[in-house]
Amino acid sequence: MTRANEQPEESAGPDPAHAGPASAATGALATGTARDRAKAERRRALLAAAARLFAERGFDGVTLEEIGAAAGVSGPAVYRHVAGKQALLGAILVDVSERLLRGGREVAAPPSPASPVADAPPSVAADRRVAESPRSRARPASGDPATAHPASADPARVYPGSGLLRELVAFHVAFALAEADVIRVQDRDLDRLSPADRRTVRTLQNAYVDVWTAALATADPDAETPAERRVRALACFGLINSTPHSVRGVPSSRVRPTLTRMALAALTA
């Protein structure tokens, strides 16, 4: 580093030992960013290990030290990331509730006018899964089976314009299969949360229910009251969320289409 009122000596290239203020700041920023990334990764590892161990052994059946060891975080270092085991449980359930709400809102967001085609394949795929349900195959097809709408082949009531509902069902099914451990933890240990974390989780979950009831209201505004739409959405969640308790040993690729058809049939019955 040069001192004040001195001219830097000419050099063939930058010397790390004589870096100027800008270089020093850049180096500090890079170091800080790397440190932040490492800290975030350790926190993610702790949440994943805690979810797995809580799911296997229950909140009271595992210690914070055991969770840290499973995540590769030793002894007192665990407390650099969480205040305690209850705080860790809160972090798991708040995090999953935030991600569920964020994902549901992204699904329900209006498609970008710049890329309408990009949004089409999931709906088409969902239509095809519904159309290929066992009940649909049992009925004689009318017209071209490759282009027939599911509603024309299925006696179950399907909401008009229910593509969004199919998208929400497909999203929640995929989420539930990916987060089976966390679902087990919430079912069993939700009452172990601190009051503040429990309120946060409930607020986030209610907002997620609102995403679904809004989709039901948009699809058929006069079908039901808001309270009835809420019952319908929560019943659909119950069907989907119960599955992670019973699908061990069955590939997700086999479970997902069946569960999606069943959940959509229940939602629109």
Side-chain angles (χ1 to χ4, degrees):
M1 181 181 295
T2 60
R3 296 174 181 157
N5 301 321
E6 288 185 350
Q7 296 296 325
E9 296 179 357
E10 292 185 2
S11 171
D15 182 353
H18 297 81
S23 299
T26 302
L29 179 60
T31 302
T33 301
R35 186 181 298 113
D36 290 344
R37 285 197 299 268
K39 185 176 181 180
E41 184 58 37
R42 284 192 293 272
R43 180 178 172 80
R44 282 192 293 270
L46 275 171
L47 295 184
R52 176 173 55 80
L53 292 174
F54 286 155
E56 291 175 357
R57 292 150 57 178
F59 182 80
D60 292 324
V62 60
T63 67
L64 191 60
E65 289 72 20
E66 289 172 323
I67 294 170
V73 180
S74 60
V78 173
Y79 292 94
R80 298 175 188 169
H81 304 278
V82 291
K85 194 167 68 168
Q86 187 184 50
L88 185 55
L89 176 65
I92 293 169
L93 296 185
V94 170
D95 172 74
V96 76
S97 299
E98 288 174 341
R99 290 189 288 113
L100 191 63
L101 176 58
R102 183 166 59 248
R105 284 175 170 171
E106 289 174 357
V107 170
S112 170
S115 56
V117 176
D119 296 319
S123 295
V124 173
D127 285 349
R128 188 175 296 116
R129 286 194 295 270
V130 175
E132 292 172 354
S133 68
R135 183 164 47 185
S136 298
R137 290 197 296 270
R139 291 175 56 84
S142 59
D144 183 358
T147 59
H149 191 279
S152 66
D154 196 321
R157 174 173 173 263
V158 176
Y159 277 74
S162 60
L164 174 55
L165 298 180
R166 287 190 290 272
E167 295 292 345
L168 286 171
V169 166
F171 163 73
H172 196 109
V173 167
F175 196 95
L177 292 176
E179 301 289 349
D181 284 345
V182 180
I183 289 175
R184 294 188 189 99
V185 171
Q186 174 163 302
D187 286 349
R188 184 170 52 202
D189 296 319
L190 182 64
D191 63 342
R192 306 304 297 270
L193 289 177
S194 69
D197 282 340
R198 191 180 302 118
R199 284 193 298 271
T200 299
V201 168
R202 289 303 189 196
T203 298
L204 292 166
Q205 291 178 344
N206 285 332
Y208 182 64
V209 174
D210 290 343
V211 172
W212 283 65
T213 56
L216 288 165
T218 300
D220 196 341
D222 300 322
E224 295 171 314
T225 66
E228 289 170 332
R229 287 191 286 267
R230 183 177 178 84
V231 169
R232 186 179 293 274
L234 291 173
C236 185
F237 297 165
L239 186 155
I240 297 172
N241 290 347
S242 67
T243 305
H245 296 277
S246 58
V247 299
R248 292 178 179 178
V250 182
S252 294
S253 60
R254 303 274 298 180
V255 174
R256 184 176 301 183
T258 299
L259 185 56
T260 300
R261 288 194 300 267
M262 292 177 66
L264 182 62
L267 184 66
T268 60

